[in-house]
Amino acid sequence: MHFTSKITERQAFLWSLLFVGIVAISFSAIFVKWTDAPVSVIGMYRLGLTLLGMTPFLLRYRSELRAVSTRDWLLLGLSGFMLALHFLLWMGSLRYTTVASSTVLMTLEPVLVMIGALIFFRERIRRAAVAAMGVALVGAVLIGWGDFRLSGAALYGDLLSVLGTLAVVVHMLLGQALRGRISSFVYSYTVFLAAALSFAVYNAAAGHAFFAGYAANDWLIFALMAAVPTVFGHLLFNWLLKYVGATTVSMAVLGEPVGASLLAWALLAETLTPLQAFAGALLLGGVWLFLRSGGGHGGAVEAVEAPADAPTPPAASVAPAGK
């Protein structure tokens, strides 16, 4: 009986951390809308400022860094590049389409993660999950059709969001493979560093200024992007990958379009058309049914027990420095 109580408390702790991450990432789209700085510059400083807060803790992981294999260094670099590509495409989509459309399309992530897990990790797939995936895809198509009726630019923004989702799926699957043998801090630091360097190269090639020409509001947004959706969103999700798996962590995107759309309505005066609302509800419902069906094997929090001596999340040590 005592063992069951411990498991229940652990599950509640994991779910509470997922909720914190959902709230944090819901602000990401709003911050992007509040600045005219190039999205690649936003991404570079979002990650660069996060790394600045993490660096003082790097020395304690020296022995682990020396033990990382060449193959894992390459995989970490690829994961970081895919994270940068995700940020570039998704934040770019917000220049063309609404917060609601962009974030709702991102909810396809757990479905795509499941497909990747099926291919690379041989996770089982249930018939109910396939049916739910079909419902979600219909919703995604309807969102694209609705935005196409509004403008070609909105449809282009939808396409960028879908491509950004594909990029983050690769990032998540690489993380699932690497987090089994690399600590959360080392994984997060090296992936963020690779992503920040990718952005720096891109900005230099595109001719974007690194320092000059940005207003005080832009710098404030850079800092908020590092402190809120990165530290309390992605960094927290990276730690959770070790205990709940990529499919369950990606479930958190279900909460983002709801929170982000409400914030966009309150702070940006964005509204939804009836077709957008119906298609968004259909997509969210499909993904919810997919997750309820269990998706891939081991996709639920309840199916994974964290070790009894699970360490305090490294994100807890980094968060104060990132504020």
Side-chain angles (χ1 to χ4, degrees), residues 7-29:
I7 295 298
T8 301
E9 291 174 3
R10 187 171 295 130
Q11 290 168 357
F13 174 66
L14 293 173
W15 282 113
S16 67
L17 290 182
L18 279 172
F19 178 76
V20 169
I22 291 169
V23 174
I25 62 176
S26 294
F27 278 95
S28 185

Side-chain angles (χ1 to χ4, degrees), residues 63-76:
S63 59
E64 182 180 350
L65 286 167
R66 287 193 294 266
V68 176
S69 67
T70 301
R71 178 177 179 273
D72 282 350
W73 279 120
L74 293 174
L75 291 176
L76 287 165

Side-chain angles (χ1 to χ4, degrees), residues 134-161:
V135 173
L137 290 174
V138 169
V141 170
L142 286 177
I143 288 174
W145 172 248
D147 281 351
F148 175 73
R149 293 175 62 189
L150 292 175
S151 71
L155 181 62
Y156 177 66
D158 293 346
L159 177 61
L160 290 178
S161 180

Side-chain angles (χ1 to χ4, degrees), residues 12 94 134 212 220 232 276 298:
L94 293 166
L220 176 60
F232 292 103
Q276 285 176 317

Side-chain angles (χ1 to χ4, degrees), residues 4-296:
T4 302
S5 176
K6 283 185 64 179
I7 295 298
T8 301
E9 291 174 3
R10 187 171 295 130
Q11 290 168 357
F13 174 66
L14 293 173
W15 282 113
S16 67
L17 290 182
L18 279 172
F19 178 76
V20 169
I22 291 169
V23 174
I25 62 176
S26 294
F27 278 95
S28 185
I30 306 302
F31 293 152
V32 173
K33 289 278 193 178
W34 275 347
T35 176
D36 293 324
V39 293
S40 56
V41 174
I42 299 172
M44 181 181 69
Y45 279 111
R46 171 181 185 169
L47 295 164
L49 292 174
T50 302
L51 288 166
L52 189 63
M54 296 174 69
T55 299
F57 303 94
L58 188 60
L59 288 177
R60 70 180 65 175
Y61 295 91
R62 286 176 297 179
S63 59
E64 182 180 350
L65 286 167
R66 287 193 294 266
V68 176
S69 67
T70 301
R71 178 177 179 273
D72 282 350
W73 279 120
L74 293 174
L75 291 176
L76 287 165
L78 178 59
S79 182
F81 173 79
M82 297 309 296
L83 179 62
L85 185 61
H86 157 65
F87 283 147
L88 183 68
L89 293 169
W90 175 71
M91 290 192 294
S93 76
L94 293 166
R95 302 296 196 217
Y96 301 96
T97 193
T98 63
V99 169
S101 291
S102 179
T103 54
V104 165
L105 287 169
M106 284 289 294
T107 61
L108 288 171
E109 180 187 333
V111 176
L112 298 175
V113 166
M114 180 274 297
I115 295 173
L118 173 68
I119 296 172
F120 297 107
F121 300 111
R122 301 186 183 279
E123 292 188 359
R124 293 194 303 270
I125 179 173
R126 298 173 174 84
R127 291 182 180 179
V130 175
M133 180 171 58
V135 173
L137 290 174
V138 169
V141 170
L142 286 177
I143 288 174
W145 172 248
D147 281 351
F148 175 73
R149 293 175 62 189
L150 292 175
S151 71
L155 181 62
Y156 177 66
D158 293 346
L159 177 61
L160 290 178
S161 180
V162 172
L163 292 175
T165 303
L166 290 172
V168 81
V169 164
V170 177
H171 163 70
M172 292 284 287
L173 290 169
L174 287 169
Q176 185 173 5
L178 289 164
R179 284 290 290 111
R181 54 186 179 272
I182 297 176
S183 70
S184 173
F185 187 93
V186 170
Y187 172 77
S188 298
Y189 190 93
T190 52
V191 166
F192 287 176
L193 179 61
L197 290 174
S198 298
F199 272 128
V201 172
Y202 178 91
N203 289 328
H208 296 317
F210 277 52
F211 302 105
Y214 302 114
N217 176 71
D218 296 328
W219 290 104
L220 176 60
I221 294 299
F222 298 160
L224 287 173
M225 288 290 282
V228 182
T230 307
V231 171
F232 292 103
H234 286 273
L235 196 63
L236 182 59
F237 290 154
N238 285 345
W239 177 78
L240 285 168
L241 277 173
K242 188 175 179 67
Y243 302 101
V244 299
T247 303
T248 299
V249 172
S250 65
M251 181 195 65
V253 299
L254 280 176
E256 182 181 3
V258 178
S261 297
L262 289 174
L263 288 170
W265 171 76
L267 302 174
L268 303 174
E270 288 192 359
T271 57
L272 291 175
T273 67
L275 179 58
Q276 285 176 317
F278 171 75
L282 192 64
L283 194 157
L284 288 172
V287 177
W288 179 79
L289 288 172
F290 163 78
L291 292 165
R292 189 179 181 188
S293 74

